Amino acid sequence: MVETGSYCWTVFQEIKQGTRAQYLAAKALKTKSWRFHTMLMMWFQRHEEPKTITDDFEQGTYVYFDFEEWAQMKKEHFTFEYKYLEDKNLD
């Protein structure tokens, strides 16, 4: 699906939280349009343009990375509430 590569997933998941390596992995994922959901603690990427976009959320089909299955999965009709969007600028 997406060419992010398992290296960034490994670094983000397995490296101690708050380290420079985890920061760089998160930055690389964000450059590939992945977005971190702070409540679900998962990375999501739009599979297609959302069907609905409001000031508070967007809804549509997304790809997410399942750390337990170690695979990218598709979630249809998902509502991504912006209040759970990790929006730190990593530049």
Side-chain angles (χ1 to χ4, degrees):
M1 283 184 192
V2 182
E3 70 283 345
T4 304
S6 63
Y7 177 75
C8 288
W9 300 119
T10 302
V11 171
F12 187 83
Q13 183 67 8
E14 302 297 327
I15 300 296
K16 184 178 176 183
Q17 187 173 0
T19 62
R20 178 147 175 84
Q22 190 182 48
Y23 162 82
L24 292 172
K27 188 173 180 177
L29 290 167
K30 284 190 170 192
T31 64
K32 301 288 186 183
S33 300
W34 286 90
R35 308 153 98 195
F36 192 71
H37 193 290
T38 59
M39 185 183 80
L40 299 176
M41 303 299 288
M42 300 173 88
W43 286 91
F44 286 83
Q45 185 184 61
R46 289 177 177 168
H47 181 68
E48 59 192 18
E49 281 300 308
K51 304 292 184 212
T52 305
I53 298 176
T54 72
D55 290 340
D56 298 319
F57 68 88
E58 58 188 53
Q59 187 176 47
T61 302
Y62 294 80
V63 175
Y64 67 96
F65 192 82
D66 185 329
F67 287 104
E68 290 181 18
E69 295 292 325
W70 206 255
Q72 293 176 23
M73 312 289 269
K74 188 163 61 167
K75 188 177 231 26
E76 297 179 350
H77 311 292
F78 179 69
T79 301
F80 198 126
E81 295 181 69
Y82 296 140
K83 67 182 177 181
Y84 299 121
L85 174 63
E86 173 60 68
D87 60 356
K88 290 181 184 174
N89 185 353
L90 297 180
D91 292 331

